[in-house]
Amino acid sequence: MSASVLILNGPNLNLLGTREPDIYGAETLADIEGACAAHAGALGLTTDFRQSNNEGEMVEIIQAVGKSCEAIIINAGAYTHTSVAILDALLAVGLPVMEVHLSNIYQRDEFRHHSYISKAATGVICGLGSQGYLLALDAVAARRGDDNKKV
Ligand code: CA2
């Protein structure tokens, strides 16, 4: 049976492809969704791809979809650096979590260097643009059936 992966995107990521292509690339979020669906299919996974500009809604999606999916890939956007609520929701569902950022947050403003999400993350990928989402799917597929695998 194919495993479902929640891919959750946070605030302003709906603007991808419209501005700041030097930082975030030229692809739209719909482009990334399509690439994720195709790559997941090749790995025997299915995806539930979401975006929200609202912190509480992201918590609700994690709680609701977290009951039925096997892993979560999350780019929490700016909430990465502020949200204890999203961290707590990820810890509560207890699933493997891959944290993704399009940009290299460590090359950017100092306030982007800390992530609340990372405490709940199995792995963190940043700076590789949309390829990061596909690499996160690879990591989910490689870890199927072994939630505690560290390498
Ligand atoms: O690099 C990433 O993926 C980020 O999660 C993106 C967030 C930023 O706050 C994080 O520090 C790093 C911002 C997403 C905003 O996306 C935009 C896309 C196009 C135009 C404007 C914003």
Side-chain angles (χ1 to χ4, degrees):
M1 207 178 92
S2 54
S4 168
V5 182
L6 169 64
I7 305 180
L8 181 57
N9 296 280
N12 297 309
L13 287 160
N14 55 310
L15 298 177
L16 282 177
T18 65
R19 47 191 96 142
E20 301 197 69
D22 46 322
I23 301 175
Y24 298 119
E27 288 170 284
T28 65
L29 197 61
D31 293 334
I32 296 174
E33 178 174 6
C36 284
H39 194 66
L43 295 168
L45 302 169
T46 59
T47 52
D48 186 346
F49 197 94
R50 308 283 189 101
Q51 189 274 332
S52 174
N53 291 324
N54 185 288
E55 183 179 18
E57 188 180 1
M58 290 179 71
V59 168
E60 282 172 6
I61 291 169
I62 292 165
Q63 289 181 8
V65 183
K67 287 188 191 129
S68 56
C69 69
E70 292 193 20
I72 297 174
I73 295 172
I74 183 165
N75 181 350
Y79 289 142
T80 302
H81 317 296
T82 62
S83 182
V84 177
I86 294 175
L87 168 63
D88 285 346
L90 292 170
L91 291 172
V93 295
L95 291 169
V97 172
M98 303 297 166
E99 177 182 354
V100 172
H101 300 285
L102 296 159
S103 63
N104 180 349
I105 55 176
Y106 301 103
Q107 274 180 348
R108 302 186 62 197
D109 326 76
E110 201 159 330
F111 65 81
R112 297 184 202 275
H113 296 184
H114 176 261
S115 165
Y116 282 97
I117 307 303
S118 294
K119 188 163 175 55
T122 306
V124 182
I125 300 168
C126 76
L128 299 177
S130 62
Q131 186 191 16
Y133 288 78
L134 308 184
L135 294 171
L137 282 164
D138 287 339
V140 168
R143 282 162 179 73
R144 278 188 81 176
D146 186 355
D147 293 354
N148 296 315
K149 209 168 174 179
K150 296 292 178 207
V151 288

